[in-house]
């Protein structure tokens, strides 16, 4: 499988991709999480908003910041339909309330872009006591996506196979660690060798994003829904606001190519709207970087791990989901 535009690369912008796939955006209901000023979410909103979606639903923790982005999109695209939703992914109560509001707004969701992410240096927890990065980056989006499954399936029934999509943002950092099932909450419990991160870097939320994508791809195939996981590239965004000087120095050395937010959003829009990506023949071929398919670490596409993670996630949100 390949994308329809092999010339797209790390320099391609979300604006360019949206223009290219204008007919695939027009008339769709699109949800973006993690939307604030000068962010990837804003770049996505501006690019998608320029191509006449039916409804653009912007969700993030701080409603006033989302409103700033909505105002910017409206100014550039008069007449566009935009809804602003308060969504705190570190609170399952907030997630359920946000999903309920969206269910009241639209009966179908054509495109869900789970873009929000959090990075913390010290161990923190969500309202439910789940380690913050895992609880927000994965568990939060896991619950949000599953609560909107009826709307996603409605969209799939009304459109062509594979045009309804769930895009989960991850990063190349998924290579740092498999899922620590024996100590997912980072409480210092002993873990078996196959769950220990190479180099001792203990973080696994980005691996979880890909495994969730693998699970969705397998179990939603009959419904005509596809899912992709995307590494947007190296971008200086609010995600790095929690880093100290040493952390910023380390981050600055992790990539030779630093992207603008508009460039960072490009791969997400390829995953969301490229008409060539309507079917996934191999559940492990669901990861894109620099607007093209890329290889993942083996632990991120292991189907047994994906099934196990889904069951653990159901336990942590207290709800069973039958896809």
């Amino acid at each position: 499988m390949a994308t329809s535009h092999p010339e797209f690369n790390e320099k391609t912008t979300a604006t360019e991709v949206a223009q290219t796939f204008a007919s695939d955006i027009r008339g769709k209901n699109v949800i973006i999480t993690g939307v604030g000023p000068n962010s990837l979410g804003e770049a996505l909103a501006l690019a998608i908003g320029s191509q006449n979606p039916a409804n653009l639903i912007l969700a993030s923790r701080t409603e006033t910041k989302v409103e700033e982005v909505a105002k910017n999109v409206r100014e550039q695209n008069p007449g566009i339909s935009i809804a602003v939703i308060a969504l705190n992914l570190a609170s399952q109560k907030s997630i359920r309330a946000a999903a309920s509001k969206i269910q009241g707004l639209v009966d179908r969701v054509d495109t869900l872009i789970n873009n929000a992410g959090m990075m913390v240096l010290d161990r923190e927890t969500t309202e439910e006591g789940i380690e913050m990065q895992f609880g927000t980056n994965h568990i939060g989006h896991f619950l949000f996506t599953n609560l909107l499954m009826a709307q996603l399936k409605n969209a799939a029934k009304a459109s062509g196979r594979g045009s309804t999509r769930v895009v989960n943002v991850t990063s190349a950092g998924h290579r740092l660690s498999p899922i620590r099932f024996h100590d997912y909450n980072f409480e210092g419990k002993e873990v078996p060798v196959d769950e220990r991160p190479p180099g001792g870097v203990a973080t696994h939320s980005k691996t979880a994003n890909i495994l969730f994508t693998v699970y969705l791809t397998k179990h939603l195939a009959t419904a005509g829904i596809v899912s992709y996981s995307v590494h947007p590239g190296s971008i200086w965004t609010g995600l790095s606001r929690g880093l100290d000087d040493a952390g910023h120095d380390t981050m600055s050395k992790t990539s030779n190519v630093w992207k603008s937010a508009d460039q960072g959003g490009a791969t997400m829009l390829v995953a969301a709207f490229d008409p060539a990506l309507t079917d996934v023949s191999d559940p492990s071929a669901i990861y894109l970087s620099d607007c093209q398919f890329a290889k993942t670490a083996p632990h991120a596409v292991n189907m047994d791990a994906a099934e196990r993670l889904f069951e653990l996630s159901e336990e942590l949100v207290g709800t069973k989901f039958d896809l």
Side-chain angles (χ1 to χ4, degrees), residues 120-248:
V120 293
L121 288 177
D122 300 317
R123 186 181 183 279
E124 300 176 25
T125 60
T126 67
E127 285 187 4
E128 296 74 31
I130 304 168
E131 188 275 323
M132 185 65 79
Q133 291 183 143
F134 183 62
T136 299
N137 298 347
H138 168 62
I139 295 297
H141 280 130
F142 169 88
L143 179 58
F144 188 60
T145 301
N146 278 293
L147 291 173
L148 294 173
M149 194 56 64
Q151 283 68 36
L152 288 162
K153 289 184 175 180
N154 285 344
K157 289 176 185 176
S159 59
R161 179 178 177 82
S163 63
T164 301
R165 301 185 193 174
V166 178
V167 178
N168 296 313
V169 178
T170 181
S171 82
H174 79 270
R175 303 179 191 282
L176 296 176
S177 179
I179 300 296
R180 296 161 56 94
F181 287 105
H182 287 77
D183 188 28
Y184 63 84
N185 227 17
F186 294 90
E187 296 168 318
K189 298 177 181 178
E190 184 66 23
V191 298
V193 173
D194 62 351
E195 292 180 14
R196 295 176 188 171
V201 179
T203 176
H204 61 184
S205 68
K206 294 305 179 182
T207 293
N209 296 141
I210 302 177
L211 287 173
F212 182 40
T213 303
V214 169
Y215 188 96
L216 292 177
T217 295
K218 177 182 177 182
H219 290 272
L220 292 176
T222 56
I225 299 169
V226 294
S227 183
Y228 292 100
S229 204
V230 170
H231 170 46
S234 298
I235 308 124
W236 286 110
T237 67
L239 189 62
S240 61
R241 61 183 172 269
L243 297 177
D244 56 15
D245 290 343
H248 278 283

Side-chain angles (χ1 to χ4, degrees), residues 256-321:
N256 293 323
V257 178
W258 287 88
K259 298 183 179 183
S260 66
D262 197 17
Q263 290 171 325
T267 308
M268 296 185 223
L269 295 198
V270 170
F273 300 112
D274 188 338
L277 308 187
T278 55
D279 191 39
V280 179
S281 56
D282 178 0
S284 68
I286 43 74
Y287 175 71
L288 292 92
S289 177
D290 292 337
C291 296
Q292 305 299 331
F293 282 98
K295 294 232 179 235
T296 65
H299 61 245
V301 288
N302 180 283
M303 185 56 71
D304 289 339
E307 299 279 351
R308 189 176 178 186
L309 177 64
F310 196 91
E311 292 177 4
L312 171 62
S313 303
E314 287 180 318
E315 291 176 19
L316 293 176
V317 300
T319 308
K320 287 284 186 181
F321 296 105

